[in-house]
Amino acid sequence: MKQLKFWKKRGQGELKLEKPEGTGKRKYKKLIIPAVLALVVLTVAVKAMMPKEVALPQVETYTVGRGDIAETLDTTGVMQTEEMKTYFSPVGAAVETCDVKLGEYVTAGQKLASFRLTDLEEEYQEAQLNFDSTMASYREAMAEGGKNASKYQTNAQSAAVLLQQVDQKEAEVDALKASLDNMSKDATKKAADDANWLNNRRNELTNDNTKIDKEKTEKSLELQRKQDELTEIQRQLSEKESVSANQAAADIASLNQRKAELEKDIDQLNEKLSKLNIRQIEISGELSKLSTGEDGDRQVAQADLQSRYEKASSELAELKSDLAEAEGKRDSAEAGIMSGETRNKLQISNNLSQLSAMTVKERIELAKAGIVAEFSGIITDVKVTEGSLASAGTEMFTISNAQNVSVEVSVNKNDLEKVRVGQKAVVTSVGNTYQGTVERISHTATMNSQNVPVVSAFIHIGNPDENIYLGMEAKALISLDSAEDVLLIPSEALNEGKDGPFCYVLENGVVAVRLITMGLSTDDYIEVTGGLKEGDQVIPVLPQGLVEGSQAETAAFGEIEGMDGQQDTSPEAE
């Protein structure tokens, strides 16, 4: 600067003088350099005085796109068998060999134990003799019971028919008595109607009586047919009693059903006939009254009605006597009938005797063959050793099927509504992976170690192998619901507010809040069913200091993997 000022002073004084020869260009250059320097200084000063631009905060955003999502449930459980069998000693004998060890894997058809057989033939002979004796007693008791049952059925049928006849005769006697009472009351009255009315009334009553006769004939024929059929059915039932219960059960049930139908029909027909008889008696009484023009005629009619009443009363007494006799025979036969309980006891006793004899013989054969594994599995309990004496029915050992296994997992109330029978699962245990299916869900909750109610779900293993260890912990990843080609956002972009779930978006350079509705969710992604559209810029994590309405700019643009619909986000793909 001092040089510049010096140059300016000299220059100002020299402007008035003539330029010396040969020095013009050098002096011109000396003027240009200071001018440029002055311009630079001036520019810097002006820029320093101008207001500086404010830098906007940058936020990372992701573009909302479409993809597939599969919701899963990650849980743990215990490997367990779905089938186990405990083997018992078929005979009372010493265990000669017992080739099983706790936790050992055995295969189907493998011989596991054998016995030393002694004195079993004598036991069998004793059981056979006991069976023969029991069988003879059983046959004798069944034969006697069959005879009494046949007698009971015959007398019961007779009593039933007589009871119906008694009911009919009582109705007839009651009707005659009513007519006699009416006639006695009307004996002092005279007909007040004229001859024409009497004629018309007689014709009406005669026509009614004719119709009743016809109807009675039809009903009586029908009643006779049904009684004949009932008698035949009763006879067939009596025959069936002598046949084995298993052979005749179906026929007896059918016959009893038809018997009940016939008895109901017969009751209805008897009731109808009784009503028709009463009506005819009423018509007869009315006709007698109409036809008797003089007291003498009424007396004749009354005497006739009295005679009929006395005859019916006598017949009723005989029927009641016959009924009492039939009922006595029926009750006597019933007392000799073998009750169902007694029959069952005899049958059970007979079956036990037979089973005892057969079982001893079968057990001898089984003992000769020894104990053989019915399926491949793991020995989970051993109760006998070689040389020990095993009584018949003694528990020997238990095999748990290792080819029919499942994992029991606990499901809390939040996940229970999502878990369904038939869902697929991936099970991992002791470093091995298996494919499974939710086969059953318990309907009873239990308390876990945190005193929280949980429900057990059972995942059937579809591809078990010899590497299965019962009782070991297993991890299970259950595939729940899934959706394809839906809007997805990163899980970290979800926020919870008093108005519900929301996320931050960058819209025209401004931070905005969008309330959203959610669908499925995983650890990585969330399905958005409302509130966002494809292409929106969501802010997964809002930097500190920024709030709704803050200005910002995108630092990096990204898309969620799988937005093109090609990536499978299901547990199996992961």
Side-chain angles (χ1 to χ4, degrees):
M1 292 295 292
K2 289 181 179 179
Q3 185 178 3
L4 181 60
K5 291 178 180 179
F6 175 75
W7 179 82
K8 286 183 177 179
K9 290 180 178 178
R10 286 189 63 187
Q12 291 174 353
E14 291 176 353
L15 287 175
K16 297 179 180 179
L17 300 176
E18 293 182 1
K19 295 180 181 180
E21 278 186 26
T23 62
K25 290 184 179 180
R26 184 177 297 172
K27 291 180 177 178
Y28 179 74
K29 289 181 179 179
K30 290 180 178 180
L31 291 173
I32 291 297
I33 292 173
V36 171
L37 290 174
L39 181 60
V40 170
V41 172
L42 181 61
T43 301
V44 172
V46 170
K47 286 186 176 181
M49 295 174 62
M50 291 179 62
K52 296 181 179 179
E53 293 183 3
V54 178
L56 294 178
Q58 294 185 337
V59 294
E60 185 181 45
T61 62
Y62 285 87
T63 303
V64 178
R66 292 186 174 275
D68 301 339
I69 186 171
E71 194 171 28
T72 61
L73 174 61
D74 196 351
T75 184
T76 59
V78 177
M79 282 286 189
Q80 62 181 20
T81 184
E82 294 179 353
E83 178 187 13
M84 66 171 55
K85 179 176 177 62
T86 298
Y87 290 83
F88 299 87
S89 174
V91 293
V95 179
E96 189 168 61
T97 62
C98 185
D99 190 19
V100 295
K101 296 180 181 62
L102 190 64
E104 183 181 27
Y105 189 91
V106 297
T107 58
Q110 179 179 340
K111 189 172 183 178
L112 306 177
S114 61
F115 301 90
R116 289 197 299 269
L117 306 178
T118 57
D119 300 328
L120 289 176
E121 289 296 335
E122 182 178 345
E123 181 184 350
Y124 171 68
Q125 291 175 2
E126 181 181 351
Q128 186 63 43
L129 290 173
N130 182 51
F131 167 66
D132 293 340
S133 175
T134 304
M135 188 64 182
S137 299
Y138 172 76
R139 287 173 177 168
E140 182 179 355
M142 292 297 291
E144 185 64 25
K147 291 179 182 178
N148 287 324
S150 178
K151 291 178 181 178
Y152 169 77
Q153 295 293 344
T154 300
N155 288 292
Q157 177 62 28
S158 298
V161 173
L162 286 169
L163 180 61
Q164 293 170 359
Q165 293 175 352
V166 166
D167 291 340
Q168 294 174 9
K169 189 59 68 175
E170 283 180 341
E172 181 181 351
V173 169
D174 291 342
L176 290 170
K177 182 67 169 58
S179 298
L180 280 171
D181 292 342
N182 291 334
M183 182 175 289
S184 177
K185 291 177 184 179
D186 296 340
T188 58
K189 294 182 180 180
K190 294 183 180 180
D193 300 328
D194 57 18
N196 185 45
W197 181 87
L198 289 172
N199 257 350
N200 291 336
R201 184 57 181 158
R202 288 192 192 96
N203 291 336
E204 290 174 2
L205 293 173
T206 301
N207 290 336
D208 288 345
N209 197 46
T210 301
K211 291 178 182 179
I212 290 173
D213 283 335
K214 181 179 180 182
E215 187 174 356
K216 282 178 61 178
T217 301
E218 293 174 353
K219 297 297 182 184
S220 296
L221 290 174
E222 184 178 359
L223 176 61
Q224 186 60 48
R225 287 197 303 271
K226 289 188 180 292
Q227 288 177 338
D228 291 342
E229 184 178 355
L230 182 60
T231 301
E232 175 60 20
I233 286 177
Q234 188 58 51
R235 185 191 64 78
Q236 292 180 21
L237 282 171
S238 298
E239 292 179 354
K240 295 297 180 181
E241 289 297 326
S242 62
V243 183
S244 171
N246 291 334
Q247 296 176 353
D251 294 341
I252 290 175
S254 176
L255 290 170
N256 281 328
Q257 181 179 358
R258 180 55 183 162
K259 176 185 173 184
E261 294 172 354
L262 288 170
E263 289 174 345
K264 181 179 179 181
D265 292 343
I266 289 171
D267 289 340
Q268 293 175 348
L269 287 170
N270 283 327
E271 183 179 0
K272 182 64 177 177
L273 285 171
S274 178
K275 291 180 179 179
L276 291 174
N277 285 331
I278 292 172
R279 178 56 185 155
Q280 277 194 319
I281 290 172
E282 291 174 350
I283 290 174
S284 178
E286 188 173 352
L287 284 172
S288 296
K289 287 169 60 178
L290 293 174
S291 301
T292 304
E294 300 291 338
D295 291 341
D297 294 335
R298 283 197 297 273
Q299 291 175 359
V300 170
Q302 187 173 5
D304 179 64
L305 189 58
Q306 180 67 35
S307 175
R308 289 166 57 195
Y309 170 72
E310 292 175 354
K311 180 180 179 183
S313 297
S314 176
E315 292 173 349
L316 177 60
E318 292 179 4
L319 286 173
K320 285 184 176 181
S321 177
D322 293 341
L323 175 60
E325 182 181 356
E327 287 178 340
K329 292 180 180 179
R330 178 198 63 191
D331 295 341
S332 176
E334 184 179 15
I337 294 176
M338 187 183 301
S339 67
E341 183 179 358
T342 303
R343 185 189 299 272
N344 288 338
K345 287 181 178 179
L346 285 174
Q347 183 68 53
I348 290 171
S349 177
N350 182 66
N351 290 344
L352 287 175
S353 298
Q354 183 179 17
L355 182 62
S356 177
M358 293 177 62
T359 302
V360 173
K361 186 175 182 179
E362 290 172 357
R363 285 177 177 176
I364 292 174
E365 298 301 321
L366 288 174
K368 290 178 180 178
I371 304 295
V372 178
E374 296 182 10
F375 50 78
S376 298
I378 299 169
I379 302 296
T380 53
D381 191 16
V382 179
K383 294 292 180 65
V384 297
T385 58
E386 292 183 3
S388 62
L389 181 62
S391 301
T394 296
E395 183 178 344
M396 300 186 70
F397 41 79
T398 299
I399 301 178
S400 295
N401 196 331
Q403 300 299 314
N404 191 9
V405 295
S406 63
V407 178
E408 180 181 359
V409 299
S410 296
V411 182
N412 61 36
K413 64 178 182 179
N414 296 325
D415 296 323
L416 184 58
E417 63 183 15
K418 302 176 184 178
V419 179
R420 296 185 296 275
V421 172
Q423 289 174 333
K424 300 300 181 182
V426 177
V427 176
T428 303
S429 179
V430 197
N432 299 297
T433 301
Y434 305 94
Q435 301 302 315
T437 304
V438 178
E439 189 172 65
R440 180 167 60 91
I441 300 174
S442 174
H443 286 269
T444 302
T446 58
M447 294 301 205
N448 64 11
S449 57
Q450 287 78 37
N451 205 32
V452 175
V454 293
V455 167
S456 294
F458 299 86
I459 303 172
H460 177 74
I461 303 300
N463 57 332
D465 55 25
E466 66 276 5
N467 295 317
I468 293 287
Y469 292 88
L470 300 179
M472 286 298 293
E473 184 181 45
K475 294 182 178 180
L477 187 65
I478 304 175
S479 297
L480 305 177
D481 293 330
S482 62
E484 298 179 354
D485 193 31
V486 295
L487 292 180
L488 300 177
I489 63 172
S491 297
E492 58 265 29
L494 176 66
N495 298 277
E496 289 290 341
K498 63 179 182 179
D499 295 327
F502 70 92
C503 65
Y504 292 103
V505 298
L506 189 61
E507 187 175 27
N508 298 324
V510 177
V511 176
V513 172
R514 291 278 187 87
L515 293 174
I516 63 172
T517 53
M518 299 165 45
L520 304 182
S521 64
T522 67
D523 291 341
D524 299 322
Y525 302 123
I526 294 173
E527 176 192 3
V528 178
T529 58
L532 293 175
K533 64 181 183 299
E534 189 172 0
D536 282 346
Q537 300 295 316
V538 299
I539 304 172
V541 180
L542 189 67
Q544 187 174 3
L546 294 185
V547 295
E548 180 182 8
S550 298
Q551 291 185 332
E553 61 182 4
T554 300
F557 291 88
E559 279 193 356
I560 300 174
E561 293 183 1
M563 286 301 184
D564 57 359
Q566 300 301 316
Q567 179 179 350
D568 184 2
T569 59
S570 65
E572 291 82 354
E574 294 178 359

